[in-house]
Amino acid sequence: MEPIISFRDFSFQYRAQKRPTLKNINLDIYPGERILIAGPSGSGKSTIGSCINGLIPFSYPGEVSGTLTVDGVDAPHSSVFELSAHVGTVLQDPDGQFIGLTVAEDIAFALENSCMPQEEMIEITRRTAGLVNIEDHLGYAPHELSGGQKQRVSLAGILVDDVKVLLFDEPLANLDPATGKQTIELIDSIQQQTDTTVIIIEHRLEDVLWRNVDRIILVADGQIAADMKPDELLATSLLEQHGIREPLYVTALRYAGVQVTADMQPRHPDCLQLTEAQQAKLQAWFRSCPAPEKKQEQPVCLEVRNLSFGYTNERRNLQDISFTIRKGEMTAIAGRNGAGKSTLSKLICGFEVPQEGSILLDGRDLKEDTIRQRAARIGYVMQNPNQMISKTMIFDEVALGIRGMGLTEAEIRERVEATLKVCGLYPFRNWPISALSFGQKKRVTIASVLVMGPDIIILDEPTAGQDFRHYTEIMEFLRGLNEQGVTVLMITHDMHLMLEYTDRTLVFNDGHLIADASSAEILCSPDIVQQAALKETSLFTLANRCGIGEPVAFVNRFIEADREVRAHGC
């Protein structure tokens, strides 16, 4: 069989860079395959995608050597327009892909450009919308849709062209766990119905492996570090060596001293084959750890009493919310898209005014405080970095908040550079922000708040778009701040983050606080998981598979072991 995509000794160097981003790539992808391309930030994985869909070298110019053939087309010497008939791309941020004022207009855009008769265009639009289960929303405006629905519209917009290759660039980055799971299921369903070749660029390996992939291409430093079947790759240490998080259940097996082999089929916990001896080893590891000591209770820092709020009179986005946060806590706020999580943070920061109830900081009601007064003690990092950035250069953006604090230029530089190092941005300190990826922009906004030294930090999806190394750097830094007494609240869809870094999670659904418990208890509760569009941790599945009747305690055992490993840097 001839490959549908073929790289031969392919290298690429961006015009603005001193060194090639891709070096001597040799890779064949065959018709009907489902390929996962993984790698740390800056490894070149997204650049490979941009070469396949024609953005390189036509939108991002640079020097190309070697050959790249896509569905019989000489890609570097073709055009974006010609390649768009062969490759359809779903971007990480669907908002950047919308053209029409309604869903139907957006799906039909390519058909309109080809001057298709209206009756035929309407029929194809409806049929394609049905393929992605969005046919009931054709009259909606794109901004009225959820994150998962937006991705379905983006997918429909490229399927109308009857392309042979579907390219997904970090499709899970901005989705809640349940929607991410549905997205992987949708990709699986579409591929089975259309027999297209699917390429997924994503660092959330465990989530993508919810459905089978044929091969995982591991990219590191602009080169292919591995091209293997999932079972084979998970049996090696290559993911850990290159800063990619392996599935939690695989890590748990390693902690228990169980050797992971390809024969065990470790690609998914439901496929996992364990012998009685291996299960016994896991059970013994679970029982070997004493119960963790209880932490000394700290005074209440933030208190929310009977809080209610709605953007319109017809609907309450939050209804009668009450909880307390103690000084030095690190707490997760979780729930499906639209549950009220971001609205809560806006009320705490003073961007919105409660209709009922009160918010107290150290026992004092904040209702008379201005946004500026609150900002001196409560830092807020928004989900979309583009909504926070106002400067051209990275250094200037991070320094902006402290320039009015009476510091000397040397003191400003020292604080900014120290923060940039922690956030993994120091090498880019003199770069323009426009040259950064979405994940790098996210780190800039976190740095711009951390440099202020607030008492409470609220972060909306702090790890979205981050690879495991940068995720760990940011979270370990936040943990360090937390251990010094800084209170951290994190709105997150990342179940790993909840387990590894927070002892407690507030769960919202449809404007109501439905659970306030330990993160392990939340993610081992099928009822709460379903209500809040979360996803049961794979550790829960592993515990049940191995006959461990205390899944919450098993998850806590893993968390303690994982923290110990990180603390020793190994």
Side-chain angles (χ1 to χ4, degrees):
M1 183 188 295
E2 287 291 314
I4 191 169
I5 297 170
S6 182
F7 290 85
R8 284 288 173 270
D9 298 319
F10 186 89
S11 298
F12 175 74
Q13 181 173 331
Y14 288 99
R15 186 176 290 172
Q17 301 296 331
K18 292 182 179 179
R19 298 185 182 89
T21 298
L22 299 180
K23 308 161 193 171
N24 301 315
I25 300 294
N26 286 286
L27 172 66
D28 286 334
I29 297 173
Y30 293 90
E33 278 196 302
R34 188 179 310 165
I35 302 294
L36 169 59
I37 300 178
S41 293
S43 63
K45 61 184 187 297
S46 291
T47 300
I48 289 176
S50 295
C51 292
I52 292 171
N53 64 20
L55 290 177
I56 289 175
F58 304 106
S59 296
Y60 307 130
E63 185 177 334
V64 173
S65 63
T67 63
L68 167 58
T69 306
V70 178
D71 195 19
V73 175
D74 181 1
H77 300 96
S78 177
S79 68
V80 175
F81 178 75
E82 184 179 357
L83 283 168
S84 69
H86 302 268
V87 182
T89 305
V90 177
L91 300 174
Q92 177 181 348
D93 180 9
D95 288 325
Q97 206 159 345
F98 288 127
I99 301 293
L101 297 177
T102 67
V103 168
E105 285 182 17
D106 204 79
I107 295 173
F109 179 74
L111 304 179
E112 284 187 300
N113 271 357
S114 61
C115 300
M116 180 175 288
Q118 192 170 36
E119 288 185 8
E120 187 180 353
M121 181 170 62
I122 291 171
E123 173 58 29
I124 292 175
T125 298
R126 284 177 176 163
R127 187 171 68 243
T128 309
L131 200 62
V132 299
N133 300 319
I134 203 74
E135 66 270 27
D136 295 333
H137 295 75
L138 289 174
Y140 283 54
H143 71 266
E144 295 177 300
L145 304 178
S146 69
Q149 289 169 333
K150 287 177 180 178
Q151 285 206 324
R152 290 172 185 265
V153 174
S154 296
L155 180 54
I158 60 177
L159 285 173
V160 294
D161 262 343
D162 198 25
V163 294
K164 292 185 181 179
V165 178
L166 292 175
L167 175 65
F168 296 87
D169 189 0
E170 297 204 26
L172 308 180
N174 300 308
L175 301 180
D176 63 50
T179 305
K181 184 176 172 182
Q182 291 165 10
T183 297
I184 295 301
E185 291 170 350
L186 176 65
I187 293 171
D188 181 58
S189 173
I190 292 296
Q191 186 176 27
Q192 290 180 22
Q193 294 177 64
T194 60
D195 199 30
T196 50
T197 303
V198 169
I199 301 168
I200 303 171
I201 300 169
E202 182 62 70
H203 60 262
R204 285 168 59 174
L205 196 79
E206 182 175 331
D207 294 326
V208 176
L209 292 178
W210 171 245
R211 287 291 183 266
N212 288 338
V213 302
D214 295 297
R215 288 186 286 151
I216 299 176
I217 311 298
L218 181 61
V219 182
D221 194 28
Q223 298 175 303
I224 294 177
D227 179 353
M228 306 170 77
K229 292 180 179 179
D231 287 333
E232 295 170 349
L233 183 60
L234 290 171
T236 73
S237 60
L238 286 168
L239 292 173
E240 181 186 4
Q241 289 172 23
H242 294 289
I244 303 296
R245 189 210 310 266
E246 64 184 6
L248 294 187
Y249 58 90
V250 174
T251 306
L253 290 170
R254 296 195 201 280
Y255 287 168
V258 176
Q259 184 178 358
V260 179
T261 65
D263 293 340
M264 291 165 59
Q265 299 178 33
R267 63 185 178 274
H268 192 278
D270 290 340
C271 306
L272 190 62
Q273 303 294 316
L274 293 176
T275 65
E276 289 186 7
Q278 289 168 330
Q279 292 185 40
K281 206 167 190 178
L282 194 71
Q283 292 166 352
W285 172 76
F286 163 59
R287 291 191 296 268
S288 67
C289 183
E293 296 180 10
K294 286 190 175 182
K295 295 181 180 178
Q296 185 176 352
E297 199 169 75
Q298 298 296 316
V300 171
C301 174
L302 180 71
E303 184 176 2
V304 172
R305 294 179 183 169
N306 308 116
L307 193 69
S308 294
F309 174 80
Y311 291 103
T312 65
N313 294 328
E314 292 75 29
R315 183 176 183 274
R316 288 287 176 95
N317 297 79
L318 290 172
Q319 182 67 47
D320 196 24
I321 305 299
S322 295
F323 62 86
T324 59
I325 301 293
R326 295 188 177 275
K327 183 175 175 59
E329 273 196 296
M330 186 177 277
T331 303
I333 301 174
R336 67 175 72 242
N337 289 334
K341 309 183 299 295
S342 295
T343 300
L344 173 67
S345 63
K346 291 175 184 176
L347 289 164
I348 293 172
C349 293
F351 303 151
E352 301 288 352
V353 179
Q355 289 159 344
E356 296 175 18
S358 54
I359 300 170
L360 292 82
L361 186 63
D362 291 336
R364 189 176 65 82
D365 198 322
L366 295 177
K367 65 180 179 180
E368 301 299 330
D369 285 16
T370 64
I371 293 175
R372 184 182 181 87
Q373 288 171 324
R374 294 197 199 196
R377 298 192 59 191
I378 303 173
Y380 179 52
V381 181
M382 299 172 73
Q383 181 175 352
N384 185 347
N386 295 319
Q387 294 175 341
M388 289 185 68
I389 292 168
S390 59
K391 293 292 185 180
T392 303
M393 306 301 290
I394 292 173
F395 185 94
D396 294 337
E397 178 65 31
V398 177
L400 181 63
I402 59 173
R403 287 207 176 273
M405 295 172 61
L407 301 174
T408 66
E409 198 61 34
E411 289 170 332
I412 290 172
R413 178 164 293 279
E414 183 180 354
R415 282 179 64 166
V416 169
E417 289 186 350
T419 306
L420 288 172
K421 286 175 182 176
V422 166
C423 293
L425 291 167
Y426 184 75
F428 313 112
R429 61 195 178 282
N430 297 319
W431 280 32
I433 291 171
S434 60
L436 301 183
S437 68
F438 184 87
Q440 288 170 326
K441 287 180 182 177
K442 186 80 173 180
R443 279 185 273 143
V444 170
T445 60
I446 293 174
S448 68
V449 170
L450 295 181
V451 77
M452 301 280 291
D455 296 327
I456 299 175
I457 300 174
I458 303 174
L459 303 106
D460 198 345
E461 294 292 350
T463 57
Q466 303 295 306
D467 66 18
F468 189 43
R469 181 170 65 85
H470 289 123
Y471 160 100
T472 303
E473 284 177 1
I474 288 171
M475 292 311 303
E476 286 299 317
F477 176 67
L478 290 173
R479 181 198 288 282
L481 287 179
N482 182 242
E483 289 172 349
Q484 295 171 35
V486 177
T487 305
V488 179
L489 302 180
M490 290 177 288
I491 300 168
T492 185
H493 290 141
D494 191 330
M495 303 299 93
H496 295 166
L497 183 154
M498 285 172 57
L499 285 174
E500 293 170 339
Y501 287 96
T502 68
D503 297 318
R504 174 184 172 207
T505 297
L506 305 174
V507 183
F508 286 79
N509 182 42
D510 196 25
H512 295 272
L513 179 61
I514 63 170
D516 179 355
S518 77
S519 302
E521 288 176 282
I522 297 293
L523 295 181
C524 290
S525 170
D527 183 50
I528 293 173
V529 163
Q530 184 176 7
Q531 282 188 67
L534 304 177
K535 191 179 72 169
E536 287 173 6
T537 172
S538 58
L539 297 169
F540 176 74
T541 308
L542 179 63
N544 288 334
R545 287 284 307 276
C546 295
I548 295 172
E550 304 171 78
V552 173
F554 178 78
V555 171
N556 285 326
R557 171 69 176 101
F558 172 84
I559 293 167
E560 289 300 317
D562 201 54
R563 287 176 178 171
E564 186 176 340
V565 168
R566 280 203 307 273
H568 290 87
C570 59

